[in-house]
Amino acid sequence: MSDKLTHLDSQGHAHMVDVSDKDITKRTATAQAIVLMQPITLKKVIEGGLPKGDVLATARIAGIQAAKKTADLIPLCHPLMLTKVTVDINVLSDCELEVLCTCSLSGKTGVEMEALTGASIAALTLYDMCKAVDKGIVIQAVSLLEKKGGKSGDWSKNNA
């Protein structure tokens, strides 16, 4: 892994990285966010008892949309033609959800930021959909779990 910050030029100014000479490879990344809430809130999420409707479906769609819009949100990200985005929301305990966002493409730059953005926005959407009944929801542990492909190769949080 390089210790050079690729988004800074020789004078320390921010710039978009030139990826025109990079090879096209299959790239995949998975990110997570953990959402903590009151057990009664999570029960309502699972049973569909909240006033805004299907919380989980809305959060999944929001995460997918966000991953596709990452370059509009993060200034130096390249606009990417994602070929697949999945958002899975898993119950970890009576008060804890795990949001997983996986992004894939064949391209010249990675999809880590897209996966992180998708997981983050899906988690924020869970908060938005549930805040009427639980303002104490906590979003934590937003992190990259793994990336595959590209010049730097594969990486996993479990092996870091």
Side-chain angles (χ1 to χ4, degrees):
M1 187 182 272
S2 173
D3 59 355
K4 181 182 175 204
L5 297 174
T6 58
H7 286 87
L8 298 178
D9 65 17
S10 59
Q11 287 88 39
H13 301 124
H15 72 103
M16 189 174 204
V17 175
D18 182 358
V19 297
S20 57
D21 291 333
K22 287 179 135 186
D23 292 331
I24 294 173
T25 61
K26 179 165 175 52
R27 296 159 184 266
T28 302
T30 300
Q32 76 167 4
I34 303 297
V35 182
L36 305 174
M37 61 186 67
Q38 295 297 318
I40 189 68
T41 307
L42 183 53
K43 185 176 183 201
K44 289 179 180 186
V45 167
I46 293 166
E47 293 174 356
L50 289 166
K52 287 192 174 183
D54 189 337
V55 173
L56 299 176
T58 303
R60 279 193 295 272
I61 292 167
I64 292 167
Q65 286 180 317
K68 295 176 359 180
K69 292 289 193 178
T70 299
D72 293 336
L73 301 169
I74 300 177
L76 300 177
C77 283
H78 292 84
L80 301 179
M81 184 62 83
L82 296 172
T83 55
K84 185 172 185 182
V85 179
T86 61
V87 175
D88 296 306
I89 303 171
N90 305 306
V91 177
L92 297 181
S93 73
D94 70 340
C95 63
E96 188 175 21
L97 291 172
E98 173 190 53
V99 178
L100 295 173
C101 180
T102 301
C103 297
S104 301
L105 61 61
S106 290
K108 294 184 175 202
T109 190
V111 292
E112 297 93 338
M113 294 308 301
E114 287 72 16
L116 285 160
T117 301
S120 298
I121 296 301
L124 286 167
T125 302
L126 288 168
Y127 182 94
D128 180 55
M129 297 288 287
C130 299
K131 70 183 181 223
V133 297
D134 187 353
K135 292 188 180 15
I137 295 169
V138 174
I139 298 168
Q140 64 184 24
V142 176
S143 61
L144 183 68
L145 296 181
E146 71 175 6
K147 61 136 325 251
K148 294 180 182 176
K151 183 179 174 184
S152 64
D154 296 351
W155 178 89
S156 171
K157 184 177 179 179
N158 292 334
N159 298 327

